Amino acid sequence: TTPSLQAYGATFAAFLADFAPAAELPYLAEVARLDRFWTESHGALDAPVLDTTSLVGADPGVLAGAVLVPHPAARWAWFPESPAYSIWRDNRARETAGGDLPWRGEGALLTRPGDAVEWTGIDHAACRFLDACAAGRSVALAIHAALDVDADPARMIAALLDAGAYSRLIVPTDQPA
């Protein structure tokens, strides 16, 4: 549909999800989705990364009403039914954890704070927080979404900032910077 190979495979994960012969591998579509995330993160627009020091000393009231904007290269998902991230990560690193992999839900965050795509496992709360931020919700509302699934907001936000998940902080014009 396009001459750019960047879009190649964009619908592959959805195809696998409906592909009957792959039904006995319930994680396969999710792993393909993570591969797609890697491609999208790699080819995303460059942007500065918001770091933790940018928030040091910020007034908590102002910060609560501000919006954290996800970095253009940030991609994330929660996979409630499988350890898709561990399977994908181990395959990417060409490693095996050895033994049986615990079969439980996992989240993944892919970022590109520099020249290379980086990935990290995240919990359901972090995925909910990122979803709320991407929807333009304030930090306070994003924390509320994360608390619905048991979060430590300070640790979670610091980890997401350290991973390069955000490019900027928008402070509403009716609040001082």
Side-chain angles (χ1 to χ4, degrees):
T1 60
T2 177
S4 171
L5 287 178
Q6 188 69 18
Y8 183 76
T11 61
F12 188 56
F15 165 79
L16 287 173
D18 294 332
F19 187 55
E24 61 188 61
L25 303 171
Y27 58 86
L28 192 59
E30 296 167 340
V31 170
R33 186 173 172 202
L34 286 167
D35 263 343
R36 182 67 199 158
F37 281 1
W38 188 97
T39 299
E40 290 173 359
S41 185
H42 176 72
L45 294 174
D46 289 333
V49 173
L50 184 69
D51 63 5
T52 308
T53 60
S54 303
L55 304 181
V56 172
D59 179 273
V62 172
L63 187 56
V67 175
L68 281 165
V69 178
H71 193 279
R75 301 292 185 273
W76 63 91
W78 175 251
F79 304 105
E81 302 297 324
S82 75
Y85 171 69
S86 292
I87 293 167
W88 179 83
R89 178 202 62 216
D90 291 352
N91 186 38
R92 245 359 227 187
R94 300 191 192 290
E95 295 177 3
T96 57
D100 290 332
L101 192 59
W103 202 264
R104 61 177 179 250
E106 295 180 333
L109 170 65
L110 282 71
T111 57
R112 188 176 43 80
D115 293 334
V117 176
E118 298 176 10
W119 51 83
T120 188
I122 57 175
D123 62 17
H124 193 193
C127 288
R128 298 273 307 256
F129 186 83
L130 285 160
D131 288 341
C133 291
R137 304 285 193 292
S138 68
V139 170
L141 290 176
I143 288 171
H144 183 70
L147 289 174
D148 283 347
V149 289
D150 193 26
D152 176 347
R155 191 183 73 200
M156 175 187 61
I157 293 170
L160 293 172
L161 287 167
D162 287 345
Y166 297 99
S167 62
R168 58 196 170 106
L169 179 73
I170 299 175
V171 177
T173 55
D174 61 341
Q175 295 187 25

